Amino acid sequence: MTAKEQGADKAKGLSERGIYRIDIPANRQDLLCPEGIIRSLAVYMGKEKPAEFKLKTPASGPIKLTVKPETKSIRPYVVSAILRDVHFTEDSYNSFIDLQEKLHSNICRKRTLVAIGTHDLDTLKAPFTYEALPPKDIKFKPLNQAKEMDGNELMEFYQSDPRLSKFLPIIQMSPVFPVIYDANRTVCSLPPIINGDHSKIKLTTKNVFIECTATDLTKAKTVLNTVVTMYSQYCSEKFTVEPVLVVQADGKEVLYPDLSARKVETTVTFINKSIGIKLTGDQIVEFLAKMGLNSALSGNENVIVDIPPTRSDILHACDVMEDVAIAFGFNNIPKTVPQSSTVAAAFPLNKLSDIVRKELALSGFTEVLPLILCSHDENYAFLRKPDTKDAVRLANPKTIEYQVVRTSLLQGVLKTIQCNKHLPLPLKVFEVSDVVFKDDSRERRSRNQRNMCALYCSKTSGFEHIHGILDRVLAMLNVPVVQPGEKNGYFIKESSNPTFFPGRSADVYFNNIVIGSFGIVHPIVLKNFEIPFPCSAVEINIEPFL
């Protein structure tokens, strides 16, 4: 491999031993460091038993970390732990630093959800406080720097730093920055940017203070558990962790980390049926032991599994079943012929959608695929529609552009025109896709609806083009034109849809039920989407034609 990557000259004299590449699933944080891989392999091969982690509180009581109420506005959560009497080698020290970087890139989502800080506890004085202060009031020496800086100077200094600059926007625009102090008001860290130089970890560090600030408490607990369970093996008392008492902003006291095992219950039948094998309960217990999971049979059918703090990826009985399948070996699962014989067929709604797409494409329209999520204003106000409360809202939208699931295709098509208005006219585009509405009568309290939307944009409105494409699509679906009020066909009737120009819009009826509308798009709607040309559009629900 060295010869391949660096050239034959640099490969001379190196070992000829094979090098194995191991792909780690994104949800297995316990395998992101050599310690976790080695421990898992040893357990799998039966050379070790799964580690048993325990908390050891000093006789004088746990160290306290107090959270101030001001942190709620920026990074409201913090969890913490201490590794006592650690013995680092150069390799284990590098692994300790490397795991933090991998976690930051993985579960921490580039420090937006969680930021890890590790400190030499012997250089600090307990108790600690987690605060949020104006940048000018925070002064300290950043890691590996000789000059003291305040928060504003630090932001400017690291603006050109290739490694840290990408994290600055997380807090840069906030009026307050999160900061952790010790009892002497020494800055431990300015999360999620950088630690202080005063408490930096060295190869000779014996007592490690770990803190994880976060916007997601569950992720913070997972990250803390991962770090302490991987490196508590280097403590003089192996797999022992000293807890920290976190006093939350509301006064509630919580001891971290929580290293207790969770219990997941499953059945022998479920595991065998899901994998396609026939194992006894005792065999399942043996295979789970190979994966580091202690389990026991309850009767002949139920399997109760203890989930250690290292396995945050196990959330359900199906995850336990997957571990049994891995231990059994995917290649050892017998191949079987399906018990039922079926003939594949297109889903009727998708087949209908393809027919509509084909007719629109043959008529010279180009299919577009906008995003399903949009802002609340784009879904209602920009189309001059009242908020009917029928849209599915996102609980924690990342940006203002993704607040609701669309209830119409028109706004997405208009945004496509907005981004392509520099192209030669006319612009003829369409979309056949789902919209979503709230529906409390359904199990998931929402329902999908397959709509068709087509839009014509040119120097003139092109109303006749949209009217024509509507007639063409319905004619190809063998839907006849009928007189208003009649069934078994479609008719159009003038409407006052606020999205369209007054007197230039109509509703489309099928079996006397409104299935959509079309018309010349209102100038205010065009202005909202920054489109300088007149447009006509049609949008209908195609599900009634099944």
Side-chain angles (χ1 to χ4, degrees), residues 113-315:
L113 298 182
V114 185
I116 311 165
T118 54
H119 313 275
D120 188 335
L121 183 61
D122 296 331
T123 65
L124 302 169
K125 183 179 180 181
F128 300 91
T129 56
Y130 176 44
E131 307 177 22
L133 300 173
K136 60 182 178 60
D137 296 340
I138 303 171
K139 296 182 179 180
F140 69 107
K141 288 183 183 178
L143 187 65
N144 297 326
Q145 299 297 325
K147 178 186 174 184
E148 185 179 85
M149 309 178 194
D150 65 23
N152 292 323
E153 291 171 334
L154 183 141
M155 287 292 163
E156 186 176 349
F157 179 78
Y158 286 108
Q159 200 70 49
S160 58
D161 188 283
R163 191 175 71 87
L164 294 178
S165 58
K166 56 178 176 274
F167 305 123
L168 300 183
I170 300 174
I171 62 169
Q172 195 166 23
M173 302 308 294
S174 173
V176 292
F177 288 178
V179 60
I180 293 180
Y181 286 105
D182 75 348
N184 294 327
R185 301 299 289 174
T186 301
V187 172
C188 302
S189 67
L190 182 77
I193 309 303
I194 197 166
N195 293 339
D197 189 67
H198 178 84
S199 59
K200 69 180 178 182
I201 296 282
K202 299 181 287 292
L203 195 59
T204 55
T205 296
K206 290 299 179 184
N207 299 305
V208 181
F209 173 62
I210 305 166
E211 41 84 6
C212 300
T213 59
T215 56
D216 186 319
L217 182 58
T218 302
K219 294 286 192 296
K221 293 177 182 178
T222 300
V223 169
L224 182 66
N225 285 353
T226 301
V227 175
V228 298
T229 53
M230 291 301 103
Y231 294 96
S232 57
Q233 71 179 57
Y234 297 118
C235 296
S236 58
E237 193 173 345
K238 289 185 69 172
F239 305 125
T240 299
V241 181
E242 181 180 322
V244 172
L245 186 66
V246 175
V247 183
Q248 299 177 345
D250 59 1
K252 182 180 178 181
E253 296 183 346
V254 184
L255 202 65
Y256 291 110
D258 180 6
L259 299 181
S260 59
R262 296 176 289 114
K263 291 189 181 296
V264 172
E265 188 170 337
T266 185
T267 64
V268 173
T269 301
F270 170 75
I271 292 173
N272 283 329
K273 187 176 180 181
S274 300
I275 302 173
I277 54 179
K278 294 180 180 179
L279 297 176
T280 65
D282 291 333
Q283 288 175 317
I284 289 174
V285 169
E286 289 177 9
F287 282 123
L288 287 173
K290 294 180 70 173
M291 300 300 293
L293 303 177
N294 293 321
S295 59
L297 287 174
S298 177
N300 295 323
E301 178 65 13
N302 294 332
V303 182
I304 300 173
V305 187
D306 291 332
I307 311 301
T310 54
R311 296 299 302 275
S312 61
D313 60 300
I314 298 180
L315 306 173

Side-chain angles (χ1 to χ4, degrees), residues 487-509:
K487 292 188 176 182
N488 300 320
Y490 81 97
F491 62 89
I492 62 174
K493 186 177 180 180
E494 184 179 350
S495 68
S496 56
N497 191 320
T499 301
F500 300 112
F501 199 81
R504 295 292 186 273
S505 67
D507 287 335
V508 182
Y509 288 77

Side-chain angles (χ1 to χ4, degrees), residues 306-334:
D306 291 332
I307 311 301
T310 54
R311 296 299 302 275
S312 61
D313 60 300
I314 298 180
L315 306 173
H316 188 270
C318 63
D319 299 312
V320 175
M321 175 273 295
E322 182 186 20
D323 268 24
V324 174
I326 293 171
F328 182 81
F330 289 126
N331 293 334
N332 296 326
I333 299 174

Side-chain angles (χ1 to χ4, degrees), residues 12 51 64 68 75 204 221 244 255 312 333 361 363 411-412 422 428 439 446 503 520:
K12 289 180 180 178
K64 285 188 178 182
K68 300 294 185 180
R75 293 178 80 84
T204 55
K221 293 177 182 178
V244 172
L255 202 65
S312 61
I333 299 174
S363 300
Q411 65 267 37
H422 61 283
K428 300 158 65 176
D439 187 345
S446 63
I520 300 174

